[in-house]
Amino acid sequence: MTEAVRRLIGRPVARWQGGAVSVVDLVDGTTVVAKHAPGAAVAEAAGLAWLAAAGAVPLPGMLGHDEDWLVLEHVPAGPATAAAAQELGRGLAALHGAGARQFGAAPPGGPTEAWIGRAPMRNLVPPWGPAQPWPSWYVAHRVLPYLRRAVDDGTMDARDAAVVERACAVLPGVAGPPQAPARLHGDLWSGNVRWAADGRAWLLDPAAHGGHRETDLAMLALFGCPHLARILAAYDEVAPRADGWERRVGLHQLFPLLVHVVLFGGGYVGQAVAAARSVLALA
């Protein structure tokens, strides 16, 4: 790790603590974060740059990266405040509004083979093919790949998989009104929101791509997020969501829940199936 930091930013390390993600004190007194992400670092770096280009939400600055390592600005932690939550809601609305080339589009310079956490995630890169409507893209490229892997790994049985497949069949008819491709963080669970000492909420560890704006917001709700109601209310002040969004939360959570089934096992199967049943209930 010390050699990677020195090579990427040209500054020697005094001490460090952590594992794959380490807080590193440099000899000059600066603190940075070094992240070991073999095969995923390029995609994350491209995602951070693309999200930062919108000028909408705070993200850690990229100090250096290669195919395996990222060296990032360190963001000291602080309390989760109502003011930071409201600023985050407004910022997310602006971020999503910055848009994407099409659904599934990778950040500029990002690879086709990206990641969400430790799970592979396929994005689209130039030359662009015909754009798909969001529901068909979501089913084909976000839901079904993880369902197939869960079944192939023996984590989900055929009966539960059939519920998800039925949800996929009805999803195009219940996904709500058409939306323009949004610029998504892509892995916006509460653990990737850094409530910082500067009084703001920063976003970390993106799996950025073009998608549906309700997906980011549904991910925030998945495992609980401080001041979530304030975040959503501030978001809606800037860019109100389409009517019926409350009933579509499970539809958008289906993807991250299947990713959790793949990464962490059968403990998430029940939640994934419940999300699929919520889609069926919309039909």
Side-chain angles (χ1 to χ4, degrees), residues 209-255:
H209 62 277
H212 195 301
R213 62 196 184 114
E214 290 180 15
T215 302
D216 263 357
L217 302 178
M219 274 199 187
L220 271 181
L222 187 53
F223 301 118
C225 181
H227 302 297
L228 179 60
R230 290 183 182 271
I231 295 171
L232 298 179
Y235 185 102
D236 285 336
E237 289 173 5
V238 176
R241 286 164 292 171
D243 289 346
W245 65 264
E246 302 97 327
R247 300 183 64 218
R248 295 190 294 271
V249 170
L251 182 155
H252 291 277
Q253 290 179 344
L254 184 56
F255 159 51

Side-chain angles (χ1 to χ4, degrees), residues 153-171:
D153 290 347
T155 309
M156 181 179 284
D157 63 29
R159 182 180 60 183
D160 288 335
V163 177
V164 178
E165 289 169 345
R166 291 200 300 273
C168 289
V170 305
L171 193 148

Side-chain angles (χ1 to χ4, degrees), residues 72-245:
L72 303 163
E73 176 186 3
H74 177 247
V75 181
T81 66
Q86 290 170 329
E87 181 184 4
L88 176 59
R90 292 188 291 267
L92 285 173
L95 176 67
H96 294 161
R101 174 64 175 75
Q102 62 187 57
F103 295 115
T112 297
E113 302 301 333
W115 299 81
I116 178 166
R118 298 194 308 275
M121 185 181 77
R122 176 171 281 268
N123 286 330
L124 303 174
V125 299
W128 304 107
Q132 286 185 282
W134 180 79
S136 58
W137 167 81
Y138 180 69
V139 167
H141 298 285
R142 289 296 181 263
V143 176
L144 290 181
Y146 301 95
L147 176 64
R148 294 187 189 109
R149 180 166 167 182
V151 172
D152 290 346
D153 290 347
T155 309
M156 181 179 284
D157 63 29
R159 182 180 60 183
D160 288 335
V163 177
V164 178
E165 289 169 345
R166 291 200 300 273
C168 289
V170 305
L171 193 148
V174 299
Q179 298 277 318
R183 188 170 306 193
L184 295 193
H185 176 282
D187 192 12
L188 196 58
W189 71 290
S190 60
N192 284 339
V193 177
R194 177 77 160 176
W195 303 94
D198 68 357
R200 298 185 294 171
W202 295 56
L203 302 188
L204 310 177
D205 300 337
H209 62 277
H212 195 301
R213 62 196 184 114
E214 290 180 15
T215 302
D216 263 357
L217 302 178
M219 274 199 187
L220 271 181
L222 187 53
F223 301 118
C225 181
H227 302 297
L228 179 60
R230 290 183 182 271
I231 295 171
L232 298 179
Y235 185 102
D236 285 336
E237 289 173 5
V238 176
R241 286 164 292 171
D243 289 346
W245 65 264

